[in-house]
Amino acid sequence: MGAQQPDPDIHVINRRALLRAGILAGGILTGAASAGTAVFARTAQPSNRTAPDQRAATPDQAWATLREGNRRWVNGTATHPHQDADRRREVAQKQNPFAVVFSCIDSRVSPELVFDTGLGDLFVVRTAAQTIDPLVTGAAEYGPAEVGTPLVVVLGHQRCGAVTAAAESLHEHKKLPGELSTIASALRSAYTRSGGDVDKMIRINTVDVVNQLKKDNLFAPRIAKGKLKVIGVYYSIDTGTVTRLV
């Protein structure tokens, strides 16, 4: 390796050299300045970008990153990271998301907003009420299988329209139109165990999906080795807060 180059952002100015050059004006570098060397650093400019190698590497680190992003969202201090042209170019040829978020299709529950993330940060899978089948499971498996994504989050939410419609259908014994009836069938167990309470039904279904994913043949070995966690959370539309369920 060649000789290390000096940092262009740090300028070390020798006081004696300044004196010899006759450019040390009265009052400059006085008071707190030391008799030896004065070091000046340029003020770093704020940035909304994070280097690719700083990706959360463990399940706990990934969850901490999502929690912090959600705090910013709740507090109205979102930084909208990784949403500029530089980031677009950075991930154009390769992606390395730190989490998979499996959420509802609800327009008020966008994972990238809820967790204050940007391009290349999350794999997102969305179905009505987080209902799951083999195709959806395969989509959730992609991140952990292909790039070692360490966390899968199942995101249920307050006032889920799909769950509400399913609960009404099951209560009234009326079939929903088209394939919506398939969603109601998938939620029948949660409906029964919740006693028809929609909010309880949402939470029960979220935990059910987590438990199903934990048993997945691809996920289970990774979970056993501590390389992957599958967790369930609940999003409050009223407050913006994400709460861990399991």
Side-chain angles (χ1 to χ4, degrees), residues 32-188:
S34 67
T37 317
V39 180
F40 298 86
R42 290 180 187 163
T43 302
Q45 296 300 312
S47 172
N48 68 351
R49 301 180 66 249
T50 302
D53 59 359
Q54 292 180 343
R55 184 194 88 155
T58 69
D60 290 341
Q61 288 172 350
W63 175 231
T65 300
L66 292 179
R67 269 205 329 265
E68 183 56 35
N70 181 245
R71 289 192 192 101
R72 295 193 300 270
W73 167 251
V74 171
N75 295 333
T77 57
T79 59
H80 309 292
H82 295 166
Q83 296 182 23
D84 57 14
D86 285 343
R87 179 61 170 181
R88 185 181 69 234
R89 287 188 289 268
E90 185 177 280
V91 299
Q93 300 300 324
K94 185 179 180 180
Q95 62 176 331
N96 197 21
F98 66 86
V100 177
V101 178
F102 178 23
S103 73
C104 181
I105 62 171
D106 195 292
S107 63
R108 301 164 293 178
V109 190
S110 172
E112 292 88 349
L113 295 178
V114 168
F115 293 114
D116 193 24
T117 59
L119 290 176
D121 291 330
L122 304 176
F123 286 115
V124 177
V125 182
R126 303 185 72 170
T127 68
Q130 309 89 246
T131 45
I132 194 166
D133 64 15
L135 284 174
V136 174
T137 301
E141 287 176 338
Y142 180 83
E146 294 299 315
V147 299
T149 305
L151 181 68
V152 176
V153 179
V154 181
L155 176 63
H157 71 92
Q158 182 184 27
R159 299 192 196 99
C160 179
V163 173
T164 302
E168 292 174 353
S169 169
L170 293 167
H171 176 71
E172 297 172 5
H173 304 287
K174 293 183 179 179
K175 187 176 180 180
L176 292 171
E179 292 300 327
L180 291 175
S181 61
T182 306
I183 298 171
S185 297
L187 294 170
R188 183 181 296 276

Side-chain angles (χ1 to χ4, degrees), residues 187-209:
L187 294 170
R188 183 181 296 276
S189 176
Y191 170 79
T192 301
R193 285 177 286 149
S194 69
D197 183 291
V198 170
D199 199 64
K200 289 181 181 179
M201 191 173 165
I202 292 166
R203 295 169 187 267
I204 289 171
N205 178 60
T206 300
V207 174
D208 283 351
V209 173

